[in-house]
């Protein structure tokens, strides 16, 4: 019995495995406890499997979770954890690909009087006379005759509060938000290997109004332990 107790205590004290990789010359160390304590937003109880999945996404995609706004792990209640990347991450990654040849993106608007709708580049519209129906984007890739095109409906992505009201971000910047969703979709279709398994904040209605990390995350050195 005493031997079994000693073995059990040894198991309890065994350090966690640390996953290490490099991003832009910076050495990153991550383990499950670090993710759970410092990198999860939303208040949900992330599982070990979800934490490891987040770590492997960061490593395989070359993302630094300690850099402001680059990548976050969001968990609400018992809902599956979601990997959220910063708004510019997809575009930065696309620009590093030698086949990337630019993009266009904008909104789809409806004239409230005539009922006519049109795709408009950028985010300008007249709220007094027009309604936003959706967003669109084209990503141009060398070697393809036509661009990767995506259009997304506003109604499917608009973020709402629990009482059904549109949240503050979508109320204040509806055109900007839906354009970002469309561009993210088009970039993921054009460069699936670089962007698989990731979403921008605007794509997830429940997350779109959250304040994610805007400052660097610093973890005390003594909390980074390596498995012997």
């Amino acid at each position: 019995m005493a031997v079994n107790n000693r073995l059990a205590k040894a198991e309890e004290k065994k350090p966690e495995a640390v996953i290490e990789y490099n991003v832009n010359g910076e050495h990153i160390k991550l383990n499950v406890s670090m993710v759970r304590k410092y990198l999860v937003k939303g208040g949900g109880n992330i599982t070990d499997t979800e934490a490891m999945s987040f770590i492997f996404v960061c490593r395989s995609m070359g993302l630094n979770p300690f850099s402001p706004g680059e990548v976050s792990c969001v968990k609400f209640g018992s809902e599956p954890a979601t990997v959220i990347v910063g708004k510019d991450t997809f575009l930065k990654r696309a620009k590093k690909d030698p086949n990337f040849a630019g993009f266009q993106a904008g909104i789809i608007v409806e004239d409230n009087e005539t009922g006519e709708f049109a795709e408009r580049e950028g985010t300008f519209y007249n709220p007094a006379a027009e309604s936003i129906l959706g967003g669109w984007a084209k990503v141009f890739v060398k070697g393809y005759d036509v661009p990767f095109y995506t259009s997304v409906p506003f109604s499917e992505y608009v973020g709402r509060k629990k009482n059904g009201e549109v949240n503050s971000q979508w109320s204040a910047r509806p055109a900007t938000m839906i354009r970002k969703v469309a561009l993210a979709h088009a970039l993921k279709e054009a460069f699936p290997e670089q962007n698989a398994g990731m979403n921008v904040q605007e794509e997830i209605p429940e997350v779109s109004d959250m304040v994610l990390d805007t400052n660097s995350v610093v973890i005390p050195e003594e909390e980074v332990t390596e498995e012997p």
Side-chain angles (χ1 to χ4, degrees):
M1 181 64 71
V3 173
N4 289 338
N5 287 338
R6 284 198 297 271
L7 289 175
K9 289 180 179 179
E11 283 295 320
E12 290 175 2
K13 294 180 180 179
K14 184 179 179 180
E16 287 188 63
V18 174
I19 306 300
E20 302 184 42
Y21 61 99
N22 293 299
V23 177
N24 298 323
E26 186 170 354
H27 192 63
I28 308 298
K29 294 183 178 182
L30 288 171
N31 63 26
V32 170
S33 294
M34 292 159 60
V35 172
R36 180 175 287 118
K37 186 174 181 179
Y38 294 101
L39 301 174
V40 178
K41 301 295 180 181
N45 185 21
I46 191 171
T47 66
D48 288 357
T49 300
E50 289 173 327
M52 287 303 299
S53 178
F54 174 73
I55 291 173
F56 287 135
V57 167
C58 289
R59 184 180 68 174
S60 64
M61 298 299 177
L63 298 169
N64 182 358
F66 306 122
S67 179
E70 185 162 328
V71 60
S72 299
C73 184
V74 179
K75 173 82 171 182
F76 292 108
S78 60
E79 294 294 319
T82 303
V83 179
I84 301 293
V85 298
K87 61 182 179 180
D88 297 324
T89 299
F90 284 148
L91 194 53
K92 287 179 180 178
R93 295 170 71 84
K95 288 181 177 179
K96 292 180 180 180
D97 192 299
N99 293 317
F100 177 69
F103 74 94
Q104 293 176 309
I107 56 176
I108 303 171
V109 297
E110 179 182 23
D111 187 297
N112 294 338
E113 184 175 342
T114 66
E116 297 180 352
F117 65 91
E119 291 184 353
R120 184 173 300 161
E121 192 164 2
T123 58
F124 178 82
Y125 77 109
N126 182 358
E130 298 173 318
S131 299
I132 298 175
L133 297 181
W136 65 273
K138 295 178 182 179
V139 174
F140 300 89
V141 180
K142 296 175 184 177
Y144 289 83
D145 294 331
V146 296
F148 288 84
Y149 170 86
T150 298
S151 61
V152 294
F154 185 86
S155 59
E156 286 189 12
Y157 291 95
V158 59
R160 298 184 182 277
K161 304 175 184 178
K162 291 182 179 181
N163 62 6
E165 295 179 0
V166 177
N167 68 36
S168 60
Q169 286 293 325
W170 281 89
S171 294
R173 304 183 302 142
T176 299
M177 298 287 277
I178 198 63
R179 178 181 178 274
K180 287 181 183 178
V181 173
L183 181 55
H185 281 218
L187 287 167
K188 282 190 282 188
E189 289 190 11
F191 302 101
E193 292 184 1
Q194 295 95 320
N195 299 314
M198 300 186 297
N199 298 288
V200 292
Q201 188 174 359
E202 292 79 8
E203 287 182 271
I204 313 297
E206 297 82 4
V207 181
S208 62
D209 207 32
M210 288 183 65
V211 177
L212 298 179
D213 292 319
T214 56
N215 298 309
S216 298
V217 178
V218 179
I219 295 179
E221 186 64 28
E222 59 268 20
E223 295 196 27
V224 182
T225 56
E226 297 184 20
E227 183 178 13

